[in-house]
Each structure stands twice: as C-alpha cells, then as structure tokens.
Amino acid sequence: MESFSESYKAAGVDITAGYKSVELMKKHVARTNIPGVVSGIGGFGGLFAPDFKGMEEPVLISGTDGVGTKIKLAFLLDKHNTIGIDSVAMCVNDVICCGAKPLFFLDYIAIGKNIPEKVASIVEGIAEGCVQSGCALIGGETAEHPGLMPEDEYDVAGFCVGIADKPKMIDGSKLKAGDVLIGLRSSGVHSNGFSLVRKIFDINETTINNTYPELSKPLGEVLLTPTKIYVKPILALMEQVEVKAVSHITGGGFYENIPRMLTDGLSAKITKSAIPVLPIFKLMQRVGNISEHDMFNTFNMGVGMVAAVSKDDAGKALAVLKENGEDAVILGEVIEGSEGVVFA
C-alpha cells in the first residue's frame, strides 16, 4: 500500500511531497558522487568508506554551520539554488583550515511547507557546493514545520567530515615572526554579518532591488553572491608549499579570525593598502556610517581566507594559487607580540 496520511496532511505535513522532493533532488546528488560513496540517499544513514592508504595517522575533522540571516535575501528574491553553496562553504572552508580534505556532507532543511521544486532547488545549490569542494552529498533531512515557521520560509544547515594525515595537519605550530600572510580574495559578503547588512540597507521587497553606482548589479544580487569555496586551491597549495597556518575569515572579521591561526607570542601585521576591499564594503561603510574598526570586526572586507607561509615560499605560493584560479595578495606578516591584529 502506498504511504499516505490524510490526517497528517490535514495537520500541514504532506509526506508525499517529501517523496517527490527526494526524487527531484536525486539528479543533483548524483553529481557529487566520489570514490568512497557506499549508498545513495534515502536510507537511515549515509555510508562512506574512506581511503586511508598512504596515511600514517588518519584524523577525521568535522565542521557544521548554517547560512544565517542571508537566507532572508533568498526569500525576497525568490532565488533558492545558490544558498546551499553557502551552507557547504561555511563548513568546508573551516575544515580546510586544518588541512583536511572534505569527504562528505549532510544537510538539514527545515521548511514551512514542503514544495518539492523549491526543496530540489535548495539541494541543487548544496550539490554545487559539494562539487566545488570535491566532497559527496551522502544524506540529509527535509523537515516540514507547519505552524512553526511561515510556509514560504526555510532554514538550511549542514555538516561535513574531512580527513587529514596528522603529521601533515596545519596547526600553526611552525609559525614564526617574518612569515608572510597571503590573502585569498572573497566573492563578496559571503555568509556572515547579514543582520547588520539588512539593517544598513533596510532590506525589504523594494530596497533589495536598489542600484548603486558602486555596484555592477542590483543590491540583492550582489549580496546573494555565494560564499567562495577555497578547498581545492588550499589543497593544491599544500602539495607544493609548506602551509603553516590558515584562517577562514567569517563572523568577527579580521580581528577575531586571524588570531585563531596564530600561536602564543605572535601577532599579525596587516598592510591596510594591500587589502582588496570590494565595492560592497565601501558602500556599506558609507551608507551605514560604520566605523572602520567595526567593518574589520564584522566582515571579510574582500579577503575570505588567509594562509601563512615562510617568506622564502611566498612567491611560489602566489604562483600556485594563481594556477588554481586565485588572484591572491600578500597582506602582511607574522610579528612578535600579543596584539592579535595590527594594521600598518
């Protein structure tokens, strides 16, 4: 007998819509299949068989995150196929800071009303994020929440598991004064600080379509630009250069995230003029009358990832990153001290 509950549907949950969602998303999930995937979606658990060959001491490294209030912009623009990229990016960009190669990802979508086509569109973005980071989407959950959230709204979160060989992990232990800090450019605001962003621009159905001379696209399109995924460039860099430390610049901006890559007694000296500040950040600072300190303490300002290498390796590191699509810049250097981050 086909699974269907008239009573449950009357309460706001249509389980048949859930089945249709799974069918629609299968083609997107299939794009993420990599060696190690044991089972397809639909079971009670996602199965993955990691390859430990060539590793002295395999370590599994996990990360979890959501998209935050950036998701409100997806609602207003009725564009749902990129927000999943942000969900993946926020997780894989964290685990790569340890030098971990992402293996697999699982998502969780809570939605007011399960519209299969919308759920499939969200998963399309999640799958794209997985493809960009070279990991598999091996499972997930879509939960319909009638009465708990509006029918046209949803939230997306997820987690990934990566693997690293412990002797080769990036932990900052080899950092020393004089090491060079390299900045990998961001694609935009990424996925943090959107409560402030929405306040600055008073984001609503009308203002989201505003245009500004500083921006090449309407405001909403610029702000919804997906978070850049740095997995493949960082893995390529690790193969050719000793990467001593890496920091993902998310919530807390420069002041909170760069110190996380440093060890005791060391600080980061950043050359302010070297930062490739994007037009959207200059616009936000002007429109919102936000102090420079608060901008650097909230946003990535145009730099989504920072890597530390020895001074002798800096030129090669920039070349490797360029070969892998990253127009990276030298931001500054590691110095002695306990200030955390100082600007010059």
Side-chain angles (χ1 to χ4, degrees):
M1 180 181 291
E2 186 179 77
S3 177
F4 175 75
S5 171
E6 190 67 52
S7 299
Y8 208 8
K9 185 175 182 180
V13 177
D14 185 354
I15 56 177
T16 58
Y19 303 145
K20 185 178 179 182
S21 296
V22 172
E23 287 303 311
L24 291 175
M25 69 177 70
K26 280 183 177 179
K27 64 180 181 181
H28 302 301
V29 176
R31 295 181 57 217
T32 75
N33 279 346
I34 61 173
V37 175
V38 176
S39 64
I41 60 171
F44 287 99
L47 279 62
F48 192 93
D51 183 2
F52 297 136
K53 288 194 295 288
M55 291 191 173
E56 293 180 39
E57 193 175 350
V59 177
L60 295 179
I61 300 167
S62 59
T64 185
D65 210 340
V67 181
T69 63
K70 180 178 184 175
I71 211 160
K72 183 74 173 179
L73 279 72
F75 304 158
L76 292 171
L77 291 174
D78 194 25
K79 181 176 173 59
H80 311 287
N81 66 343
T82 64
I83 206 74
I85 299 175
D86 293 284
S87 177
V88 176
M90 297 304 287
C91 298
V92 298
N93 283 345
D94 276 355
V95 302
I96 195 63
C97 291
C98 300
K101 173 180 171 55
L103 296 176
F104 58 84
F105 187 87
L106 281 84
D107 65 80
Y108 176 79
I109 302 169
I111 193 164
K113 180 177 178 59
N114 188 337
I115 301 172
E117 293 76 14
K118 179 184 283 189
V119 172
S121 184
I122 298 167
V123 174
E124 177 186 352
I126 294 169
E128 174 60 27
C130 289
V131 169
Q132 289 183 22
S133 54
C135 70
L137 178 57
I138 63 170
E141 170 70 9
T142 302
E144 196 168 16
H145 287 171
L148 184 63
M149 56 199 308
E151 288 190 354
D152 60 346
E153 293 190 4
Y154 58 86
D155 195 16
V156 181
F159 82 91
C160 70
V161 172
I163 190 169
D165 196 359
K166 191 172 183 180
K168 298 178 182 178
M169 285 178 60
I170 300 173
D171 60 7
S173 61
K174 296 181 180 179
L175 270 179
K176 64 180 182 180
D179 286 339
V180 171
L181 298 172
I182 295 176
L184 283 69
R185 297 170 189 261
S186 69
S187 57
V189 185
H190 283 185
S191 298
N192 64 275
F194 272 86
S195 293
L196 178 55
V197 171
R198 291 185 298 111
K199 181 180 179 182
I200 290 171
F201 293 111
D202 186 24
I203 294 293
N204 56 45
E205 293 85 352
T206 302
T207 58
I208 199 167
N209 295 309
N210 285 351
T211 58
Y212 295 87
E214 295 94 330
L215 305 180
S216 60
K217 299 177 182 178
L219 178 63
E221 288 186 45
V222 172
L223 293 175
L224 198 60
T225 301
T227 303
K228 196 171 189 178
I229 292 176
Y230 299 97
V231 171
K232 293 180 180 178
I234 293 294
L235 288 175
L237 183 64
M238 289 174 60
E239 289 179 1
Q240 299 188 53
V241 174
E242 181 183 40
V243 181
K244 297 187 177 184
V246 178
S247 178
H248 182 201
I249 310 303
T250 55
F254 278 48
Y255 285 110
E256 285 191 23
N257 290 290
I258 292 180
R260 295 169 67 180
M261 71 189 286
L262 303 171
T263 48
D264 290 343
L266 296 176
S267 293
K269 182 180 180 182
I270 305 294
T271 303
K272 194 178 296 183
S273 60
I275 301 169
V277 180
L278 292 169
I280 184 62
F281 296 113
K282 296 177 181 178
L283 178 64
M284 285 196 292
Q285 185 172 5
R286 176 175 65 81
V287 173
N289 192 27
I290 308 297
S291 71
E292 184 177 73
H293 176 276
D294 286 358
M295 290 296 295
F296 278 98
N297 208 160
T298 307
F299 303 110
N300 68 63
M301 300 302 287
V303 176
M305 187 79 71
V306 176
V309 300
S310 72
K311 189 174 183 179
D312 292 341
D313 287 335
K316 185 175 182 180
L318 290 173
V320 171
L321 288 169
K322 189 169 185 177
E323 289 170 4
N324 287 272
E326 294 295 329
D327 182 19
V329 299
I330 293 180
L331 286 178
E333 63 178 335
V334 177
I335 60 173
E336 294 181 354
S338 55
E339 297 92 342
V341 176
V342 294
F343 288 95

